[in-house]
Amino acid sequence: QVQLAESGGGLVQAGGSLRLSCVASGSTSSLMATGWYRQVPGKGREWVATIRTAGTYYADSVRGRFTISRDNAKNTMYLEMNSLKFEDTAVYYCNGVSQQGTYWGQGTHVTVSA
């Protein structure tokens, strides 16, 4: 089992920056890939970015503005978000995938004011 906990959300003006963190605990060595998703009310969960040994991957909507990274020593993954837009407003979820299953954090709210 893996537990994920996000932090770092908040209110920011358009054009500003935020850094989200996701701390993993439990069987973290079993994770093959970790990433970020986001969701706005009334819509499905949208993939944002993924990091795995092979590299990093981004949705077209955030490429060039967001950077995903991780510190394995701290079992922590980050999402650096720059040049934020109103449409980036969402609940952001941390995601982890292992052979045993898929894991989600509780989400952290990001609100970008126009």
Side-chain angles (χ1 to χ4, degrees):
Q1 289 288 333
V2 176
Q3 294 78 44
L4 303 172
E6 307 94 335
S7 63
L11 173 64
V12 63
Q13 288 187 329
S17 299
L18 277 177
R19 188 177 79 159
L20 306 183
S21 299
C22 173
V23 178
S25 59
S27 302
T28 57
S29 61
S30 68
L31 292 173
M32 299 180 295
T34 54
W36 293 93
Y37 286 70
R38 64 187 183 186
Q39 188 170 22
V40 298
K43 292 188 177 181
R45 199 163 289 187
E46 175 192 20
W47 171 69
V48 175
T50 295
I51 185 166
R52 53 172 62 130
T53 303
T56 56
Y57 309 87
Y58 298 93
D60 289 343
S61 58
V62 306
R63 187 176 293 111
R65 300 187 297 121
F66 290 11
T67 303
I68 188 171
S69 63
R70 67 187 179 196
D71 185 336
N72 291 329
K74 296 182 178 180
N75 287 329
T76 302
M77 178 177 64
Y78 304 98
L79 186 68
E80 185 76 36
M81 306 187 294
N82 298 315
S83 302
L84 282 162
K85 304 176 182 179
F86 175 75
E87 50 265 40
D88 293 320
T89 296
V91 178
Y92 283 72
Y93 295 91
C94 176
N95 164 271
V97 178
S98 74
Q99 290 186 339
Q100 288 71 43
T102 300
Y103 307 94
W104 297 94
Q106 80 287 351
T108 185
H109 290 257
V110 172
T111 302
V112 183
S113 61

